[in-house]
Amino acid sequence: MIKNRKGAWAMIQAIFSDIDGTLLNSKHQITFDTKNTIQKVVGGNIPFVLVSARMPSSIFPLQQELNISAPVICYSGGLILGCNREILHSICLSKKSIKQIYDIVSDHYPSISFNLYGYDQWIVDNTQNPWVIQEAGIINGSPIQRVLSSYIEEDHDTHKILCMGPPEDVERLVQQIKNEVTGISVYKSKGTYLEIMDEMVSKSYAIQELEGIFNITYRESMAIGDNYNDMDMILYAGLGIAMGNAPEEVKKIADWVTSSNDEDGLKIGLEKYILSV
């Protein structure tokens, strides 16, 4: 039995874990000890759900590496896929919002790389852009090069916009988008990455969508993450854990702070609250 900040007691029946900075260490790897601990948890019939701003094809290989089967939450909740990769939930950005943000970036931010994601496609205007090359190496993804202005006019389903660039430009872009564009949610997943989804998209809302499938309440869920876009699920879950490498704002709202992603913080959290209970 675990007491959280809400004063509620519950046994954890499902775990929702961020990927980058949480499951993965700074070398973008899952350690041997973390993998073994996750397999012990899953062996106890507790679902382990990966929750990420990533696209599906950069999440499934991690599931396979962990040898787990569970739904996945992609694009920070914009797309949920079931165990057989069927679509359980999907929320896309409006064409109007996409055009507004694209025009802002094109007109005022030459240093920013503008990326569109829909289902399992990643669309860019230049596959040789250094930011795109860096991201492709991290997620093992393959971007598709298109003329973005034409692609947007074709009205494809888009789950996420990713803007990558220097921290000072990303911060200015955040403020401008918030001032000029409505109907969206905007998060910095790190200083150089800005993630933009529809305003109805959040990791916590995605967890709610899966509660019925798992036949649990929020009190029986554990969420663990390391950054600003994890804050809503850390606050929502019955047990919310922040990684040791998280910013102070994230640590302050968590029930507990574990060690960093380079110190097997996820493993330590699972041992403390799941395997030792």
Side-chain angles (χ1 to χ4, degrees):
M1 304 291 279
I2 297 165
K3 189 174 184 179
N4 63 14
R5 65 197 168 279
K6 306 178 186 72
W9 292 77
M11 292 292 291
I12 300 302
Q13 300 296 328
I15 298 160
F16 298 87
S17 173
D18 175 54
I19 292 177
D20 296 284
T22 302
L23 172 69
L24 304 182
N25 62 19
S26 58
K27 296 180 180 179
H28 310 293
Q29 298 170 337
I30 305 171
T31 68
F32 177 81
D33 287 344
T34 292
K35 178 180 177 179
N36 278 354
T37 302
I38 291 169
Q39 289 177 338
K40 289 177 184 177
V41 168
V42 174
N45 293 320
I46 297 177
F48 188 88
V49 179
L50 298 178
V51 186
S52 177
R54 290 183 177 217
M55 61 197 296
S57 60
S58 67
I59 298 177
F60 287 129
L62 298 173
Q63 266 203 326
Q64 292 169 357
E65 183 177 349
L66 291 169
N67 193 27
I68 60 175
S69 177
V72 295
I73 297 174
C74 317
Y75 304 125
S76 296
L79 179 66
I80 305 175
L81 300 179
C83 296
N84 297 314
R85 306 192 182 186
E86 72 278 16
I87 297 171
L88 301 179
H89 181 71
S90 174
I91 301 178
C92 295
L93 284 154
S94 71
K95 182 178 178 180
K96 177 184 177 182
S97 296
I98 297 168
K99 289 181 68 175
Q100 282 181 288
I101 297 166
Y102 177 71
D103 288 344
I104 290 170
V105 173
S106 298
D107 292 344
H108 303 290
Y109 298 90
S111 65
I112 297 285
S113 169
F114 184 90
N115 303 250
L116 295 173
Y117 293 82
Y119 296 104
D120 210 21
Q121 288 195 326
W122 172 18
I123 311 298
V124 302
D125 62 358
N126 178 11
T127 56
Q128 298 308 304
N129 179 287
W131 289 103
V132 173
I133 292 172
Q134 173 185 276
E135 178 67 1
I138 293 171
I139 69 170
N140 295 317
S142 299
I144 299 168
Q145 185 166 306
R146 289 288 307 272
V147 176
L148 287 175
S149 57
S150 300
Y151 181 85
I152 292 168
E153 287 300 327
E154 293 169 9
D155 206 18
H156 298 273
D157 284 349
T158 298
H159 289 98
K160 184 183 81 168
I161 296 170
L162 171 64
C163 294
M164 299 181 285
E168 61 276 11
D169 292 337
V170 168
E171 183 57 36
R172 286 195 301 117
L173 179 59
V174 170
Q175 299 309 318
Q176 185 168 356
I177 289 174
K178 285 183 175 179
N179 289 336
E180 298 182 17
V181 185
T182 59
I184 59 170
S185 62
V186 182
Y187 297 101
K188 284 195 297 182
S189 52
K190 54 185 174 182
T192 54
Y193 279 41
L194 182 62
E195 318 265 0
I196 304 164
M197 281 77 63
D198 183 84
E199 64 182 347
M200 294 300 295
V201 171
S202 70
K203 292 184 176 182
S204 58
Y205 187 81
I207 291 174
Q208 291 180 58
E209 289 290 313
L210 292 178
E211 285 172 356
I213 292 175
F214 295 147
N215 193 29
I216 63 170
T217 69
Y218 76 91
R219 291 186 176 89
E220 298 167 300
S221 64
M222 167 182 154
I224 183 167
D226 75 302
N227 224 314
Y228 299 108
N229 61 341
D230 299 312
M231 289 177 73
D232 68 287
M233 75 169 182
I234 291 172
L235 278 168
Y236 175 78
L239 175 66
I241 297 177
M243 297 294 291
N245 49 294
E248 285 304 313
E249 296 95 318
V250 180
K251 292 178 181 178
K252 286 178 182 177
I253 56 93
D255 293 308
W256 187 67
V257 179
T258 186
S259 300
S260 76
N261 61 325
D262 285 329
E263 301 168 310
D264 282 325
L266 173 58
K267 174 189 82 80
I268 292 169
L270 294 176
E271 288 176 341
K272 178 179 177 67
Y273 288 105
I274 308 298
L275 297 180
S276 65
V277 175

